[in-house]
């Protein structure tokens, strides 16, 4: 086989694996293809290059190169060295560097995926969640945004008269307050305190 046909066979195997894993109820239920497309479009826009054609979303991110380039575009120099060649450990190191850069950038630890989530394709939905967390970590970033636009301050000024007028009102967010008494309520037996045991 030539190198070109070997690449084609590898792409087909990757797509077959993708199709079979997407039929799994555990994996398919978690993933949101629209969010993945939105995250992919955002990454492509920020870094200025398209994902490689013929590869699925998680395979393009799997080596960590695009993720590291994304972080360096958002915060130049935050990932000091991106491994573009080498074995699996070099590529997994890229993912680890991306995660460290996310923490420096301001992403909360709870929003980060584990390396195996992406490398072994165990939880691609969490990878997408992390990308969305990166997209909202710095609202002052003036590039393209990911997800809902962050809220802007909407300061309002009230007069003393308006503030006093609101003090006499009973808020009805939880429903009606008509007949709101505790009469007839019984929450079980009273508490018995046993001494000496």
């Amino acid at each position: 086989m030539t190198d070109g046909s070997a690449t084609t066979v590898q792409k087909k195997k990757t797509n077959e694996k993708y199709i079979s894993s997407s039929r799994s109820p555990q994996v398919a239920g978690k993933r949101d293809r629209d969010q993945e497309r939105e995250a992919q479009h955002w990454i492509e826009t920020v870094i200025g290059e398209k994902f490689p054609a013929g590869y699925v979303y998680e395979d393009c991110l799997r080596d960590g190169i695009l993720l590291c380039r994304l972080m360096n575009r958002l915060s130049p120099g935050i990932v000091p060295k991106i491994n573009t060649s080498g074995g699996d450990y070099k590529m997994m190191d890229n993912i680890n560097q991306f995660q460290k850069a996310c923490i420096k950038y301001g992403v909360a630890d709870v929003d980060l995926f584990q390396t195996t989530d992406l490398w072994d394709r165990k939880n691609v939905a969490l990878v997408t969640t992390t990308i969305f967390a990166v997209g909202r970590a710095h609202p002052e970033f003036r590039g393209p945004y990911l997800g809902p636009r962050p809220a802007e301050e909407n300061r309002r000024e009230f007069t003393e008269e308006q503030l006093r007028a609101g003090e006499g009102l009973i808020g009805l967010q939880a429903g009606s307050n008509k007949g709101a008494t505790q009469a007839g309520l019984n929450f079980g037996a009273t508490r018995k305190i046993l001494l000496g045991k």
Side-chain angles (χ1 to χ4, degrees):
M1 285 185 152
T2 64
D3 287 342
S5 62
T7 305
T8 305
V9 170
Q10 185 179 5
K11 285 182 189 177
K12 286 181 182 176
K13 284 184 181 178
T14 302
N15 288 336
E16 288 171 10
K17 187 183 290 185
Y18 172 73
I19 291 169
S20 65
S21 70
S22 68
R23 291 184 185 143
S24 167
Q26 291 178 336
V27 175
K30 293 181 184 177
R31 293 178 68 173
D32 184 347
R33 303 293 182 200
D34 292 333
Q35 279 190 337
E36 289 177 4
R37 279 190 289 276
E38 189 178 350
Q40 178 177 341
H41 177 72
W42 181 71
I43 292 171
E44 290 173 342
T45 304
V46 171
I47 66 173
E49 62 185 79
K50 296 280 186 193
F51 279 33
Y55 290 96
V56 292
Y57 170 76
E58 62 268 24
D59 289 342
C60 294
L61 300 176
R62 188 171 181 253
D63 60 8
I65 294 172
L66 291 174
L67 295 173
C68 289
R69 286 184 185 159
L70 170 68
M71 293 310 295
N72 276 339
R73 185 64 67 138
L74 295 173
S75 180
I78 199 165
V79 178
K81 182 177 188 281
I82 302 173
N83 301 306
T84 55
S85 63
D88 291 349
Y89 290 108
K90 292 280 189 180
M91 300 302 126
M92 288 175 75
D93 183 52
N94 284 340
I95 298 171
N96 287 329
Q97 289 187 68
F98 167 76
Q99 292 166 333
K100 289 176 185 173
C102 285
I103 292 170
K104 288 180 190 173
Y105 192 66
V107 176
D109 288 345
V110 296
D111 288 330
L112 292 178
F113 63 89
Q114 298 295 315
T115 302
T116 59
D117 291 335
L118 177 57
W119 186 255
D120 297 331
R121 299 174 189 91
K122 287 185 176 180
N123 194 348
V124 178
L126 190 54
V127 175
T128 304
T129 302
T130 300
I131 293 170
F132 270 78
V134 169
R136 68 176 180 269
H138 271 276
E140 66 271 3
F141 175 68
R142 292 296 169 214
Y145 62 93
L146 180 60
R149 185 178 290 275
E152 295 177 5
E153 183 179 33
N154 187 4
R155 185 173 291 272
R156 296 171 186 200
E157 300 291 332
F158 294 100
T159 65
E160 281 296 320
E161 183 179 325
Q162 290 172 323
L163 292 173
R164 265 190 254 113
E167 289 175 359
L169 297 177
I170 298 174
L172 297 177
Q173 267 186 322
S176 174
N177 65 342
K178 289 186 177 181
T181 67
Q182 293 182 351
L185 294 180
N186 185 2
F187 289 106
T190 59
R191 184 173 175 192
K192 294 177 175 65
I193 300 174
L194 302 175
L195 299 173
K197 289 196 176 195

